[in-house]
Amino acid sequence: MTSNADWRVRSLAHVWQPCTQMQDHASGELPLIPIARADGVWLEDFEGKRYLDAVSSWWTNLWGHRHPAIVAALKHQLDTLDHVIFAGFTHEPAIALAEQLAAKSGLPRCFYTDNGSSAVEAALKMSFHFWLNSGKPQKQRFIALQNSYHGETLGALAVGGPSIYRDTYAPLLLQPIFVPSPDCYTRTPGQSWEDHSRRQFDHLRLVLEQHAHEVCALILEPLVQCAGGMRMYHPLYLTLARQACDEFGVHLIADEIAVGFGRTGSFFACEQAPPAVYGRGAKRGITPDFMCLSKGLTGGTLPLAAVMTREEIYQAFYADYAAYKAFLHSHSYTGNPLACRAGLASLSLFEETNALSANAVLAQLLWAHTAELRTHRHVAEVRQTGLILAVEMVRNVAKREDFPASERRGLRAYRHALEKGVVLRPLGNVLYLMPPYAIGAKEAQKMCEVLCEAVDVATRDPA
Ligand SMILES: *Cc1c(COP(=O)(O)O)cnc(C)c1O
């Protein structure tokens, strides 16, 4: 059993893929690709065909696959401590990683979970529970941005916008208050990003004025709504949201699960928020009350997540046992030593490779190599924040008329790119690049060329 076809048959017999209509694979419409091995930015199937991982394996991978420093650290960790219950026990990798994340985020308390959705769940519960412990049990609701995405478990799903993921489960979900997104794709022609995002903030302010008494927290994805189509907004919105949350006594939960760890140009996206008032000593960046981290946290090797939070929030749970104020939330694999070790190895690579400066150069390269798309007759917008570059394909640019979802234009692009050896998984009619930081200049050029071709192929009529 060595051919792709054999593995496909076995896989389809038992494995249910995530976020997938399985018939697409079973019918042959979409090839299910068995991967035998990976190296750097390349994935390789069982017949030796290679695919450039332009989406960083669902936005997790930072340094390429099997980076030697991470592999070595993991091998060593495996010989030392595999896993241990994390209640009543602690260990070096979890401690050292929490120390470093605290220093980077400015949030001293670190609560581990094992995937992004569970980190969001923990943050939502902590915020609610903080207010309960603080004598404000009426604070029970959340504010979320339209088109945001925070994961798939019921709590995380409830505070996410895109109806494609949400509507089916609507009867099971919490009822957050959704406010219009600062997403700059929807700005009026000629309007600046800053002006648009500032105006969209007025909606949030109004909702806070009316509902703050019953609201625990505002949750948002800083700078880029990734799953919602890589929609981007101006960092000023973060500054304004932080100020308003302070003013109205509402927590701010920053979901940096996709955008953290250098993806948007800064280490955390929150660091890009401009000072509220310019002048001497004015500092860039906001500190949220909760920061959710996952995906790139281990450099893309193992599942791990963390909720970082403030000392004051930690203290609201700290009491005599009999006060019943503790946060009784846990996951079996919380603080897994291997995953934490991978996290430490990945953080070291930021220093060693000077990644943020290198990424700035790479980001310019992506922009330069996609110039032709900016005048393409079926591209309404090419937008970029750091190492996320997105292309919005439309039927008619002037009218901003979308291609009908049923035409599955993104899928056409996906299939073309696969043939050419590049993984470009679309989000509806949005194609994007989100490569590992380790991608070389030549590989980046190839990736961009295939993106440009894929847009041509996908937008060509007939569907
Ligand atoms: C991926 C993602 C999540 C969910 O993380 P999982 O590990 O897939 O559960 C939550 N929030 C954002 C912004 C994400 O991109």
Side-chain angles (χ1 to χ4, degrees), residues 58-60 114-120 148-153 156 219-222 224-227 255-259 292 294-295 303-305 434:
W58 250 346
W59 323 340
T60 60
D114 41 23
N115 62 70
S117 304
S118 67
V120 169
S148 59
Y149 177 86
H150 300 290
E152 300 291 349
T153 54
I219 183 166
L220 51 74
E221 294 160 274
V224 188
Q225 298 189 305
C226 292
D255 178 350
E256 292 242 8
I257 289 166
V259 295
C292 299
S294 189
K295 291 201 167 104
L304 181 69
M434 198 158 165

Side-chain angles (χ1 to χ4, degrees), residues 96-417:
L97 183 59
E99 287 169 351
Q100 292 196 24
L101 293 175
K104 294 261 189 211
S105 66
L107 294 164
R109 297 291 172 177
C110 173
F111 187 92
Y112 288 112
T113 70
D114 41 23
N115 62 70
S117 304
S118 67
V120 169
E121 299 283 335
L124 297 174
K125 283 174 70 179
M126 266 184 195
S127 174
F128 164 79
H129 200 162
F130 168 91
W131 295 116
L132 187 67
N133 283 354
S134 310
K136 299 207 166 147
Q138 72 281 10
K139 281 174 152 319
Q140 299 181 356
R141 299 187 73 187
F142 297 93
I143 300 174
L145 304 185
Q146 284 170 6
N147 193 47
S148 59
Y149 177 86
H150 300 290
E152 300 291 349
T153 54
L154 291 176
L157 187 64
V159 291
S163 56
I164 178 171
Y165 304 119
R166 190 178 200 283
D167 284 1
T168 311
Y169 308 100
L172 308 182
L173 301 178
L174 289 173
Q175 297 297 320
I177 303 163
F178 283 106
V179 295
S181 166
D183 167 14
C184 290
Y185 180 67
T186 63
R187 72 194 187 281
T188 45
Q191 194 183 20
S192 73
W193 280 36
E194 176 168 347
D195 188 48
H196 177 73
S197 293
R198 185 194 293 278
R199 277 165 196 272
Q200 292 302 88
F201 166 75
D202 294 343
H203 298 287
L204 172 60
R205 194 174 166 89
L206 206 63
V207 162
L208 282 167
E209 278 167 9
Q210 289 166 355
H211 294 278
H213 63 282
E214 53 165 339
V215 168
C216 311
L218 161 69
I219 183 166
L220 51 74
E221 294 160 274
L223 300 189
V224 188
Q225 298 189 305
C226 292
M230 300 297 167
R231 294 293 182 85
M232 300 173 185
Y233 59 90
H234 195 275
L236 177 70
Y237 191 85
L238 299 174
T239 312
L240 298 174
R242 175 69 278 182
Q243 274 184 324
C245 284
D246 284 341
E247 182 184 339
F248 289 98
V250 163
H251 290 146
L252 176 59
I253 304 174
D255 178 350
E256 292 242 8
I257 289 166
V259 295
F261 301 101
R263 196 44 87 175
T264 66
S266 47
F267 191 81
F268 293 123
C270 281
E271 293 167 23
Q272 293 185 39
V277 187
Y278 286 94
R280 264 184 62 205
K283 275 235 213 71
R284 201 163 266 278
I286 55 150
T287 307
D289 300 289
F290 300 92
M291 185 187 279
C292 299
L293 301 172
S294 189
K295 291 201 167 104
L297 174 55
T298 62
T301 47
L302 284 166
L304 181 69
V307 181
M308 307 303 298
T309 192
R310 288 165 40 218
E311 184 63 23
E312 182 202 343
I313 289 170
Y314 176 81
Q315 289 298 334
F317 294 80
Y318 188 95
D320 285 336
Y321 182 80
Y324 295 110
K325 286 190 164 185
F327 189 55
L328 300 183
H329 178 108
S330 64
H331 299 284
S332 310
Y333 280 98
T334 287
N336 175 259
L338 289 160
C340 291
R341 180 62 71 199
L344 286 165
S346 178
L347 287 184
S348 306
L349 286 171
F350 276 95
E351 316 299 330
E352 284 161 32
T353 63
N354 208 0
L356 295 184
S357 329
N359 284 0
V361 176
L362 178 56
Q364 285 178 0
L365 204 66
L366 300 187
W367 187 250
H369 286 315
T370 50
E372 67 184 73
L373 294 177
R374 296 197 278 282
T375 51
H376 194 285
R377 59 187 286 263
H378 287 296
V379 172
E381 182 174 75
V382 182
R383 53 182 173 265
Q384 185 179 22
T385 300
L387 282 190
I388 307 173
L389 184 144
V391 183
E392 192 91 26
M393 298 187 292
V394 293
R395 177 181 292 291
N396 184 305
V397 169
K399 293 193 234 159
R400 285 268 168 118
E401 185 195 338
D402 288 328
F403 284 116
S406 59
E407 290 181 6
R408 302 187 79 180
R409 301 274 176 166
L411 182 64
R412 274 214 248 168
Y414 178 67
R415 251 189 301 191
H416 175 81

Side-chain angles (χ1 to χ4, degrees), residues 35-93:
I35 291 299
R37 58 186 65 80
D39 186 29
V41 298
W42 296 97
L43 309 169
E44 191 181 318
D45 72 13
F46 283 83
E47 290 161 13
K49 175 157 177 148
R50 300 206 307 160
Y51 300 89
L52 199 162
D53 190 357
V55 299
S56 295
S57 283
W58 250 346
W59 323 340
T60 60
N61 193 287
L62 305 187
W63 314 109
H65 293 270
R66 295 191 305 107
H67 188 283
I70 298 181
V71 171
L74 280 176
K75 284 184 172 165
H76 186 255
Q77 184 60 45
L78 253 183
D79 284 335
T80 317
L81 173 66
D82 51 355
H83 182 63
V84 60
I85 177 173
F86 202 57
F89 296 81
T90 191
H91 52 79
E92 194 245 337

